[in-house]
Amino acid sequence: MPADTPRVLIFDVNETLVDLAPLGSCLEEVGLPARLLPVWFAGVLRDGIALTLAGAPAPFAAVAGDGLRTLLAQGQPDGPDPERAVRHVLGALPALPVHPDVPDGVRALQEAGFRLVTLTNGSSGTTRAALARAGVARHFETHLDVRGAGGRWKPAPDAYAHALRTVGIDAADALLVSAHPWDVDGAARAGLGTAWVRRTALPQPTAMRPADREATDLTDLERQLRRPRVVPD
């Protein structure tokens, strides 16, 4: 059973810490409508997780690039060079901003005594670059990606196990912090505590395990973690 007060907080990155919304402008710059951003990112997750289930490697840049090529071929088959468009969009990832609550929330959580790490299906280098631009990369003990789990994307148990091995703790002493219900569900099934950061008003999927905690942002999560969690009878 997860501890009421975790020792380590394991953060998802894309959409949890880093705001992907500015990529909409990048899509427009290569001739795609900004409204396709969630379609593209959902497709990246679908294909990366599908490759993991098939036992195949799934490098994030390759999967994300293929998704962009498909959208470009559907939307403008005679448009600009797709390889140049892919480089333009993916090259913007390290420069993406964090959500407004992240700098203060990260600092408060570290000052409260929690060890902080990141775990992404993307690139740890991209994570480090984006968080360094926001002045918070140094508050994390390490930045991890799923290459250390044999390339198996979250929510595969191997991905969470890689993070636990790296920081040297048991699952019960860790809290996965994510804006994605599928990530929360995967971590819960791997024995971690979970916190859902509700970046949108979308409902909790009924087919997935609910989070141990729900927070509006990281500062709200820090306030909650300073208080013992009340578990209903």
Side-chain angles (χ1 to χ4, degrees):
M1 178 179 295
D4 285 343
T5 304
R7 294 168 54 198
V8 177
L9 308 185
I10 301 173
F11 286 85
D12 174 62
V13 177
N14 291 325
E15 297 189 311
T16 301
L17 299 177
V18 173
D19 186 1
L20 299 186
L23 284 179
S25 296
C26 293
L27 293 184
E28 291 179 333
E29 289 163 0
V30 299
L32 292 171
R35 61 178 172 77
L36 288 181
L37 175 60
V39 175
W40 169 63
F41 189 62
V44 172
L45 292 173
R46 177 201 63 212
D47 293 348
I49 293 169
L51 286 166
T52 290
L53 288 171
F60 184 88
V63 176
D66 284 344
L68 287 168
R69 293 182 190 96
T70 298
L71 291 176
L72 289 163
Q74 292 172 337
Q76 45 168 335
D78 298 320
D81 176 13
E83 298 312 309
R84 180 177 299 178
V86 168
R87 289 194 298 271
H88 179 69
V89 175
L90 298 189
L93 291 173
L96 288 173
V98 299
H99 289 288
D101 60 284
V102 168
D104 287 345
V106 164
R107 284 191 285 266
L109 286 163
Q110 188 192 43
E111 290 169 2
F114 297 105
R115 297 167 61 192
L116 313 180
V117 303
T118 60
L119 175 64
T120 180
N121 287 335
S123 161
S124 59
T126 298
T127 296
R128 191 176 292 105
L131 297 184
R133 283 172 54 87
V136 296
R138 62 186 176 86
H139 295 288
F140 291 84
E141 185 173 314
T142 188
H143 299 288
L144 304 174
D145 60 43
V146 296
R147 287 177 295 181
R152 296 183 61 78
W153 285 34
K154 296 182 296 173
D158 299 23
Y160 307 108
H162 163 55
L164 297 174
R165 284 194 305 269
T166 301
V167 297
I169 61 165
D170 295 329
D173 292 320
L175 183 78
L176 185 281
V177 182
S178 180
H180 304 291
W182 57 263
D183 198 6
V184 167
D185 179 84
R189 294 179 191 277
L192 286 72
T194 55
W196 182 24
V197 181
R198 301 196 66 167
R199 296 289 186 196
T200 71
L202 296 178
Q204 161 70 36
T206 58
M208 296 181 182
R209 293 190 181 186
D212 297 315
R213 297 178 183 271
E214 292 184 15
T216 55
D217 56 27
L218 297 195
T219 53
D220 178 34
L221 178 63
E222 189 272 334
R223 287 191 294 268
Q224 290 190 35
L225 289 173
R226 285 183 180 272
R227 307 191 300 265
R229 183 165 60 97
V230 178
V231 180
D233 295 333

